[in-house]
Amino acid sequence: ATAQIGVTGLAVMGSNLARNFARHGHTVALHNRTYAKTKALVDQHGHEGDFVPAETAEDFVASLQKPRRIVIMVKAGEATDAVIDEFTALLEPGDVLIDGGNAHFNDTRRREAALRERGIHFVGAGISGGEEGALNGPSIMPGGSEESYKSLGPLLESIAAKAEDGSPCCTHVGPDGAGHFVKMVHNGIEYADMQLIAEAYDLLRSVAGYEPGRIAGTFREWNQGRLDSYLIEITAEVLAHTDAATGRPFVDVVADEAEQKGTGRWTVQTALDLGVPVSGIGEAVFARSLSGHTGLRAAARGLSGPTAEALTGDEARVFADQVEQALYASKVVSYAQGWNMISRASEEYGWDINLGAMAAIWRGGCIIRAAFLDRIRAAFAADPALPTLLADQGFADEVGRAQEAWRTVVATAVRHGVPTPGFSAALAYYDALRAERLPAALTQAQRDFFGAHTYRRTDRPGSFHTLWSGDRSEQSVD
Ligand code: 6PG
């Protein structure tokens, strides 16, 4: 037995991860359901490092040093369960089975509990960065036992992306499903970021009257400042691209229907269960879903809208700057919501997640990597119990400076009939959080009126009910 790590499931993510391990000097055992893929990997990339190809699961397991460490890279769902069952029969107590797919964290919790009974460590590891990241350095979010991380951590850290300060974009997130949970929220935040960027593009195009090439330039400029991020960078690339077949801007020939594989939807479903408002992610999921309702959209195409003219000259330039501010402020809100969700789940499941560390490992490798994440890391370093990112003085000051522009952008969007659900929901969240009094008082009074659901008072403790259909006197309810 010579291999330090094994990878089973050699589609592109699995192959790239295996090559990344090998390139970092680890001997990597390889296994795939069909041997052809294993062979193709060794034929093409065998020279990159030490690979031990195996035709059978038995040979694969036998080629691994103990405790055995096996990374499963197969489709999330039933395929994962089948592979786990196959390998569990061949493993011994102390071995570590790692699921590197986008599994639902509840599946991971179930699998971890079942394998723990047999003494096997099951690690649900979120891996972000796509194919490129898997090969050259992803951001890795492993859950599972502390003990499993002792033997697995150094291997994962060696292949992970490195942040600017040199630290690996990988840390032990917390027990059982914690790793897959934070990967899910990462994807939710990814959805929100993408939606906000799409709204900024739409406003620059429809309100400021900019062409895609010019918008690419604007995004490139923004990428030099506080919005510096991978998603802004690729946005500029996409917008600058011309379709070879038609000579038109590429963005104009792509069907305007955004798909989703489901992690954003899971984030929102889970947030509803945890009672955490993640309106930015919610609006992003709904916006994708709306875009795909072509029948509904066709039926509504004739509805009337405003007749506002596009801006020109200096007005357009000033507006573009305001859009940058609205985008930044909305982004702060959506990250604040994402972190609230991680914090709430950490309490609920007893994961004890280090909130600042999540920002630290997202600084590199992953899809939402951005300069901004170092600011979030620093905010939690200064106050680990920060209730919301908006309470960090630095972020509060910046959003405070942006808020006038943010309001102008949302109001202008409304006047021009440009949908900005992300910007608008973020601003509504900001205004709701900072409000002295919310109309929730009225909502609660209505509940008491029709359902005797009781209410609390601002001036004394206890629960009360008003006899709405009687003499409207108030009763104290215990
Ligand atoms: C990542 C990505 C990755 C994948 C998403 C896309 O972190 O590397 O998030 O996991 O690209 O699943 O999600 P949708 O298909 O739902 O947009």
Side-chain angles (χ1 to χ4, degrees):
T2 55
Q4 279 111 34
I5 185 116
V7 179
T8 180
L10 299 175
V12 63
M13 284 294 288
S15 297
N16 284 0
L17 217 53
R19 291 170 60 196
N20 190 350
F21 278 120
R23 288 172 173 192
H24 282 87
H26 308 295
T27 302
V28 188
L30 300 173
H31 175 259
N32 192 65
R33 200 165 40 86
T34 54
Y35 186 65
K37 273 214 172 114
T38 313
K39 188 171 175 314
L41 174 55
V42 176
D43 288 349
Q44 285 165 33
H45 303 289
H47 61 278
E48 291 175 12
D50 293 330
F51 295 105
V52 187
E55 290 208 37
T56 65
E58 288 78 4
D59 288 350
F60 175 65
V61 169
S63 71
L64 286 158
Q65 292 174 359
K66 293 180 188 176
R68 302 175 184 95
R69 291 167 291 227
I70 298 176
V71 184
I72 302 169
M73 293 301 293
V74 301
K75 211 167 172 301
E78 281 168 24
T80 306
D81 279 314
V83 174
I84 292 172
D85 287 347
E86 182 182 6
F87 282 103
T88 309
L90 303 171
L91 296 180
E92 291 167 18
D95 289 344
V96 186
L97 210 46
I98 304 114
D99 175 11
N102 264 335
H104 193 288
F105 76 99
N106 273 331
D107 284 335
T108 303
R109 294 177 67 218
R110 166 177 62 77
R111 290 166 180 152
E112 196 273 341
L115 290 187
R116 198 178 338 128
E117 301 255 299
R118 310 176 65 147
I120 294 167
H121 298 284
F122 184 71
V123 173
I127 301 182
S128 178
E131 297 169 13
E132 226 257 4
L135 184 61
N136 298 318
S139 171
I140 312 178
M141 297 147 248
S145 65
E146 294 258 4
E147 198 188 329
S148 69
Y149 197 78
K150 283 198 192 100
S151 84
L152 184 64
L155 276 160
L156 296 182
E157 289 180 14
S158 73
I159 66 153
K162 304 293 175 290
E164 246 168 40
D165 64 6
S167 52
C169 294
C170 172
T171 191
H172 180 234
V173 177
D176 59 81
H180 274 140
F181 184 92
V182 298
K183 174 58 172 45
M184 175 185 77
V185 177
H186 163 283
N187 281 27
I189 293 174
E190 169 186 311
Y191 275 52
D193 260 352
M194 291 167 74
Q195 174 62 24
L196 295 173
I197 290 171
E199 291 177 18
Y201 152 74
D202 202 7
L203 289 165
L204 292 177
R205 189 126 194 221
S206 309
V207 179
Y210 287 10
E211 288 307 313
R214 179 157 185 203
I215 303 176
T218 305
F219 276 102
R220 265 189 220 110
E221 267 170 43
W222 292 355
N223 205 37
Q224 304 299 313
R226 58 189 174 174
L227 285 169
D228 174 3
S229 64
Y230 171 71
L231 283 171
I232 294 280
E233 179 192 323
I234 65 161
T235 303
E237 299 265 338
V238 171
L239 290 172
H241 185 57
T242 303
D243 176 50
T246 60
R248 292 170 56 198
F250 174 73
V251 69
D252 287 347
V253 300
V254 177
D256 61 346
E257 294 163 42
E259 298 173 0
Q260 49 184 314
K261 288 208 294 272
T263 42
R265 184 172 61 241
W266 288 350
T267 312
V268 179
Q269 287 169 333
T270 307
L272 290 172
D273 290 338
L274 289 169
V276 184
V278 290
S279 48
I281 303 170
E283 291 298 346
V285 173
F286 284 132
R288 285 195 193 189
S289 137
L290 185 150
S291 74
H293 281 284
T294 45
L296 265 183
R297 291 175 61 193
R301 196 137 298 144
L303 296 177
S304 58
T307 50
E309 297 261 311
L311 307 176
T312 52
D314 270 356
E315 266 186 352
R317 272 191 291 278
V318 168
F319 183 71
D321 173 65
Q322 290 169 329
V323 171
E324 189 272 343
Q325 300 188 57
L327 175 55
Y328 185 75
S330 303
K331 184 179 166 91
V332 173
V333 165
S334 84
Y335 280 67
Q337 294 179 340
W339 254 268
N340 276 345
M341 179 161 176
I342 296 174
S343 161
R344 177 75 202 91
S346 181
E347 275 166 27
E348 174 78 18
Y349 296 108
W351 285 334
D352 198 20
I353 296 177
N354 178 332
L355 298 176
M358 295 308 105
I361 64 167
W362 289 345
R363 288 178 298 175
C366 66
I367 305 294
I368 66 167
R369 61 184 179 264
F372 179 70
L373 283 152
D374 197 53
R375 301 271 314 277
I376 301 183
R377 182 203 55 74
F380 283 108
D383 179 4
L386 195 64
T388 164
L389 278 184
L390 289 163
D392 172 75
Q393 201 53 50
F395 283 121
D397 289 346
E398 273 187 303
V399 174
R401 280 193 297 276
Q403 58 109 18
E404 279 300 339
W406 194 7
R407 292 179 198 286
T408 303
V409 167
V410 170
T412 309
V414 170
R415 272 204 302 278
H416 284 251
V418 176
T420 53
F423 283 9
S424 310
L427 181 54
Y429 178 87
Y430 176 76
D431 281 335
L433 274 198
R434 59 175 201 86
E436 194 71 42
R437 290 277 297 162
L438 287 172
L442 177 58
T443 308
Q444 190 61 14
Q446 289 167 324
R447 295 182 70 244
D448 188 58
F449 191 107
F450 63 65
H453 294 301
T454 77
Y455 51 89
R456 285 177 296 107
R457 296 182 56 99
T458 56
D459 52 358
R460 53 197 144 93
S463 286
F464 303 91
H465 168 56
T466 290
L467 296 171
W468 295 103
S469 47
D471 64 359
R472 305 215 162 173
S473 60
E474 185 173 79
Q475 298 178 325
S476 184
V477 189
D478 293 318

